[in-house]
Amino acid sequence: MAVTQLFRLFICRSAARATLHAHRRYSKVCPALSERLRVFESLKEKQGNKSRVEATETPLSIRLTDGRKVKGTAGVTTPLFVAQSIRVKGALVSTVNGELWELGRPLEADCELQLLGFDTVEGRQAAWRTGACVLGGVLETVLGAEVCREGASELGLYCDHLLDNSALSLSDVEERCKQAAALKLPLSRLELNTEEVRELFQNSKLRLQLVEEQMNGPTITVYRCGDSIAVCNGPLLPHTGFLKVFKMLQLSSVTLANQTESSGLMRLLGAAFPGEKEKQEWEREQEEARRRDHRRIGTDQELFFFNDVSPGSCFFLPKGAHIYNTLTDFIKSEYRRRGFTEVVTPTLYSTALWERSGHWEHYSENMFTVTSEGSQTYALKPMNCPAHCLMFEQRVRSWRELPLRWADFGALHRNELSGALGGLTRVRRFCQDDAHIFCTPDQLEEEIVACLDFVRTVYQVFGFSFHCLLSTRPTPCLGEPEQWDNAEQQLERSLQQFGERWELNPGDGAFYGPKIDIQIKDAIGRQHQCATIQLDFQLPIRFDLQYVGPDGQLHRPVMIHRAVLGSLERMIAILAENFGGKWPLWLSPAQVMIIPVGGSSESYGKQVVQQFREAGFMADLNDDQGATLNKKIRSAQLAQYNYIFVVGDKESESGTVNVRSRGGKQLGRRPTEEVLTSLTQLRDTRSNLDEF
């Protein structure tokens, strides 16, 4: 009891000294910021202890990931205290029973605790969100800018701001951020509702507009960092002193939604690190990412390009189209094995369909529209689900027909902001391996497990490791609580039956139903979310979908949205970067290069090219008389041909080819028919091996 009180007293006094020290030394505050700070402190005082967990003096047991158990006190012991007591260095954030948890937040009950450092996605994001708060404070209180939005992405931290003199010195900003962070500025947290947010940001119209757009629930989290106020959507570090190094990357203009003229808003992008070692490792990662950039690979290998005549829409050249079609054929072959049937649906629909589905109310700003025949408005489809509901309702359905599994490769269009477009990862015209399953409630678990097995089969071919996230009921949501509870339990049982690693992702489900998101990890450790399996309670209700059950009565089907690759365009970008442009044989747009040398070998080389092309291979001939053999081989290797066949008089006479791999390994002279059989086997089994 006495120890608990002394610990609590020590923490409170330390926090008070740090706050006073930081507020005295940090900066001069303009009247607008002073008023904002006053409102923040007023709201903080008003909320009082409502959001705090009272120290109950109840002992608790903390289980660590290595199996060790640590004792603590509910409402007092924090993950930071645990990290310090067991001498774990580098912890930035934690998870408590799978939920992200700030290091300084007291634990509430017996739990499993995982401490996360900068080498994890969660730790890096916590560092960058905190770094964005520091940067926002420097911009506002030191440089006189008006910060309108701050946050973190996979690229780093950012601050969107207005500044009359935009000629910022990035190195100067870095140094000032370093100085500010060294003050170990405390971070005070508040949960505010819409009315309180409007009171807090009453003197900044643009800031308030962006914050309200960011709110996807009844409240939003704001932090005080020194003398500035930041809006953050995730846990931060205990104080700014955890950050020792800052790196500013670029300054660019920001395009806002529905913007008719320049707002003058600028984005400063940067990164923050616990130390120089982490910065150097990150810079190595960035260099490797630049080397693997799919836009560079697309240009070098002549796969695709973009043109301003159709912004955000990709032009796939023959080699790029080969990859595109090979991926599509792969998924179609799995469809045939798994009982899916393909449908073809229109691209353009009357707004009546989108109003019926509910998309017009929530998504119309992201849709391309056209007007014809006077006042009739149509929209290009951004998704396939409403059309599939129309197909289901075309006639009376029987329980004997279910499950219905309909797949659709139709072109989709979404009106993404021009500033958000980036290569193949964010486009306006794209295609998904989209499918919808209509089934009975009793069939749901089996269908979910089958969808998960589909995902595993495909990702194993690519060599991706993956894990699943069960995203549960958000606030607000549609549907009855017991309906959500039942659906979440069914998804959880399906994941347990599936047997792969999964985590709970509370509150991140779609408003119409829970979902399973699948995150993959590529060759350089980056994570991507591509596949998704979503339950939908609402569309079957909105379209009044029904089937006749065994009892002769009408019943409501369950609808599952699912995609494995997701967008084909984005998956091609991910695969290009994962393989570094070195495509496996089955997917490669440059599979075989035949190089004739001397005598009558050219005609034999053409014969070999024709033989492999007829077998479905991407085979080419280099008959350039002005290049040496070594230069031709090197050119083929740089062009990432999987195999290079050198043919001369001996090969012509014996019906063989001299084979070497892309990596330069010589596989020797082999009969052409034998090589063709071996490569056909490698291709058709979608093997990632080079040797045969």
Side-chain angles (χ1 to χ4, degrees), residues 444 470-492 505-515 534-538:
L444 180 59
L470 174 53
S471 300
T472 58
R473 183 183 331 173
T475 303
C477 64
L478 298 178
E480 297 300 320
E482 55 268 27
Q483 189 179 34
W484 277 87
D485 291 341
N486 182 52
E488 289 170 2
Q489 289 165 11
Q490 286 183 298
L491 290 184
E492 184 171 343
N505 189 21
D508 202 41
F511 70 91
Y512 49 76
K515 61 178 180 174
Q534 301 182 2
L535 298 191
D536 192 339
F537 306 139
Q538 297 307 309

Side-chain angles (χ1 to χ4, degrees), residues 252-273:
S252 59
S253 60
V254 177
T255 302
L256 297 177
N258 302 320
Q259 183 176 309
T260 56
E261 58 184 26
S262 175
S263 64
L265 197 63
M266 302 296 292
R267 170 164 293 187
L268 183 53
L269 180 66
F273 310 93

